[in-house]
Amino acid sequence: MTSTAKLSTQPQDPAYAIALTQFNAIADKLGLDDGLREWLSLPQRELTTHFPVRMDDGSLKVFKGYRVQHSLARGPAKGGIRYHPRVNLEEVRALAMWMAWKCAVVDLPFGGAKGGVACNPKEMSMAELERMTRRFASEISIFIGPENDIPAPDVNTNAQVMAWIMDTYSMHKGYSVLGVVTGKPLAIGGSQGRDEATGRGTAIIASEVMRRQGGSIDGATVAIQGFGNAGTHAARILSDMGARVIAATDSQGGRYNPRGLNVKRAIAAKRETGQLGNYRDGDAISNDELLEMPCDILIPAALENQITGSNAPRVKAKVIVEAANGPTTPEADEMLNENGVTVVPDILANAGGVIVSYFEWIQGRQHYFWDLAEVQAKLERIMKNAYDEVVAMATTPKVSLREAALMLGVGRVTESIKLRGVYP
Ligand code: NAD
């Protein structure tokens, strides 16, 4: 029997609509009863805050921020904080739900959470960003902590933002609390390899898919949508593996060169000028063109809802590895499956970030830090194991990799809550 979450029968946000549709399909496959289905489809806790920030011109601006904990069944909630004008409660709920399934797919002892502030960081000074971050951190400090909920970077947040959150939280405690956030700078308890971890995990998966399909990542052509943390590191590591990155875009458009972009120079141009389009190599391309470009591997690494029913029939990539969260709608998923495109879902393909966040959390709690080789080796082992488990799950009965990953993730969270029972 199919039911939808009572909290929001008509989701307004496309990401939340995608997350609920995916969840309900998997709940059917797993045969969850109505009570479990409703419990698992709803966020355990959510916080909305309106908070004031003094802007540089002396005016007071009120921002709206959120922190949602989807599930704490398997351990402390874990998930990033996003700064973007489109951030809203439903989007954060969707991202928190995906975090719960993702942590379970790669078998980390974490629940799922997400947070965000509706703002346009590109129009704010560093001082305004710092004041907004510190006040937001203070507002959500009743929710977060090393034992209960650990934020990390997401779209438009970075190691500096994590440093401000860690400092704000620590000021209230009176001592340094390393485990309150991950993705911190190395100098204050960050982990080697965290910055590149999402992109590295995506690259490891892309390479495994090619190998399993009887090919090789060496010489494979790759197109990447989104040239931020996830996209640039994936591009660099895939190019080091021998792949040819023929196209990349950011929100303003991008570049295409069939002989392969010089990834290091493209990253430098993006860093120095803020726009990948300023890298003068090959031809200018739009995001629509990139998504429909002939290539072996397409990596969406920007935002949700990019591959939809309207462009999926024109996608020519053989393999899609989702570095972004929720880039493919369920309608597009069906079309891609029918067209024989292998789609490695977000909750597996971008799990590298939360895996190394887990390492950072462990290191911070032990005050004992590992070298880069150790982090990379442990990351690779977990990613490959999880990929093998998802592929095995997808074999009998035959389901897509997304269905298999969700069955694994939702199944593990279900097992945890069943074992723990219902309190009181
Ligand atoms: P980021 O802010 O560093 O980069 C986002 C990039 O996407 C920017 O280059 C931006 O210009 C580009 N972009 C935005 N809208 C676009 C559009 N319509 N078309 C093309 N490009 C566009 O963010 P990030 O941390 O790299 O996150 C990207 C995605 O990866 C998000 O979905 C995020 O949730 C997911 N993710 C990130 C991490 C992480 O560790 N950073 C971990 C897991 C998942």
Side-chain angles (χ1 to χ4, degrees):
M1 178 178 140
T2 307
S3 74
T4 47
K6 283 192 180 154
L7 194 64
S8 178
T9 46
Q10 295 281 304
Q12 302 298 307
D13 183 84
Y16 197 40
I18 296 172
L20 285 175
T21 303
Q22 289 172 348
F23 170 76
N24 280 307
I26 293 314
D28 287 341
K29 282 213 169 353
L30 293 175
L32 297 188
D33 65 38
D34 282 354
L36 268 178
R37 180 195 290 264
E38 189 177 357
W39 187 4
L40 279 168
S41 69
L42 297 174
Q44 186 167 337
R45 297 174 186 161
E46 50 190 32
L47 181 156
T48 299
T49 166
H50 301 94
F51 58 96
V53 177
R54 184 73 64 195
M55 306 307 277
D56 290 345
D57 65 4
S59 66
L60 205 60
K61 188 165 175 185
V62 177
F63 289 86
K64 192 166 187 175
Y66 312 91
R67 186 74 187 166
V68 173
Q69 297 170 351
H70 186 79
S71 166
L72 293 126
R74 288 172 51 90
K78 185 88 189 78
I81 287 179
R82 175 175 292 195
Y83 290 168
H84 195 276
R86 289 213 307 265
V87 163
N88 65 79
L89 180 58
E90 285 194 344
E91 181 189 61
V92 180
R93 279 182 192 150
L95 293 162
M97 183 189 278
W98 282 324
M99 282 306 296
W101 314 148
K102 184 186 306 179
C103 291
V105 169
V106 291
D107 214 2
L108 302 181
F110 283 143
K114 206 80 178 191
V117 178
C119 65
N120 189 348
K122 288 180 184 156
E123 289 174 359
M124 295 169 70
S125 70
M126 277 289 271
E128 287 170 338
L129 267 182
E130 177 173 356
R131 287 194 293 273
M132 185 188 79
T133 299
R134 286 186 181 278
R135 180 61 191 243
F136 178 60
S138 176
E139 294 290 333
I140 63 171
S141 64
I142 52 170
F143 242 43
I144 63 172
E147 303 289 350
N148 39 343
D149 182 356
I150 307 136
D154 192 74
V155 174
N156 291 326
T157 56
N158 55 21
Q160 178 60 73
V161 172
M162 294 307 115
W164 291 328
I165 297 176
M166 181 273 218
D167 184 67
T168 304
Y169 188 86
S170 299
M171 285 298 119
H172 287 245
K173 291 284 175 195
Y175 53 90
S176 296
V177 185
L178 298 190
V180 67
V181 284
T182 57
K184 299 181 293 298
L186 283 177
I188 53 166
S191 174
Q192 294 286 347
R194 173 61 186 88
D195 197 37
E196 62 160 34
T198 304
R200 180 167 290 280
T202 302
I204 290 168
I205 295 291
S207 161
E208 282 297 284
V209 176
M210 296 308 282
R211 194 179 60 77
R212 275 198 181 248
Q213 293 189 347
S216 166
I217 195 68
D218 197 3
T221 52
V222 180
I224 302 183
Q225 184 208 31
F227 216 55
N229 175 287
T232 52
H233 287 295
R236 176 181 57 81
I237 294 161
L238 282 164
S239 145
D240 288 348
M241 288 173 166
R244 192 150 40 99
V245 179
I246 57 170
T249 50
D250 62 18
S251 56
Q252 312 296 314
R255 309 302 294 185
Y256 164 68
N257 184 340
R259 292 187 306 281
L261 299 170
N262 182 321
V263 171
K264 288 202 174 93
R265 285 201 202 139
I267 293 173
K270 168 80 180 167
R271 196 174 42 233
E272 282 154 25
T273 70
Q275 281 185 23
L276 176 62
N278 290 332
Y279 173 54
R280 298 281 163 217
D281 178 14
D283 302 322
I285 46 160
S286 68
N287 268 299
D288 291 346
E289 288 168 323
L290 178 127
L291 294 174
E292 297 169 15
M293 173 159 296
C295 60
D296 295 315
I297 304 167
L298 171 64
I299 300 185
L303 293 172
E304 307 92 64
N305 206 29
Q306 298 298 306
I307 306 174
T308 63
S310 45
N311 61 7
R314 293 190 299 279
V315 168
K316 294 174 199 69
K318 299 180 195 76
V319 176
I320 296 177
V321 185
E322 295 181 339
N325 284 307
T328 312
T329 66
E331 191 190 359
D333 236 352
E334 266 182 39
M335 294 172 171
L336 295 166
N337 268 338
E338 276 167 23
N339 291 344
V341 181
T342 303
V343 181
V344 187
D346 44 10
I347 58 169
L348 171 64
N350 70 28
V354 73
I355 293 169
V356 178
S357 274
Y358 169 56
F359 298 162
E360 180 176 331
W361 179 72
I362 294 172
Q363 294 168 76
R365 288 164 73 85
Q366 297 180 339
H367 297 264
Y368 176 71
F369 292 88
W370 314 343
D371 63 25
L372 182 60
E374 185 172 356
V375 169
Q376 289 178 343
K378 287 190 158 96
L379 168 65
E380 185 164 343
R381 196 164 63 233
I382 295 180
M383 290 299 303
K384 285 184 174 171
N385 279 349
Y387 179 66
D388 287 347
E389 283 189 296
V390 170
V391 169
M393 187 76 135
T395 314
T396 40
K398 196 154 174 26
V399 292
S400 70
L401 292 178
R402 184 179 321 276
E403 288 168 309
L406 284 164
M407 283 164 73
L408 197 60
V410 176
R412 282 182 175 153
V413 178
T414 306
E415 185 190 5
S416 306
I417 64 177
K418 278 185 174 167
L419 284 167
R420 289 178 61 159
V422 179
Y423 175 85

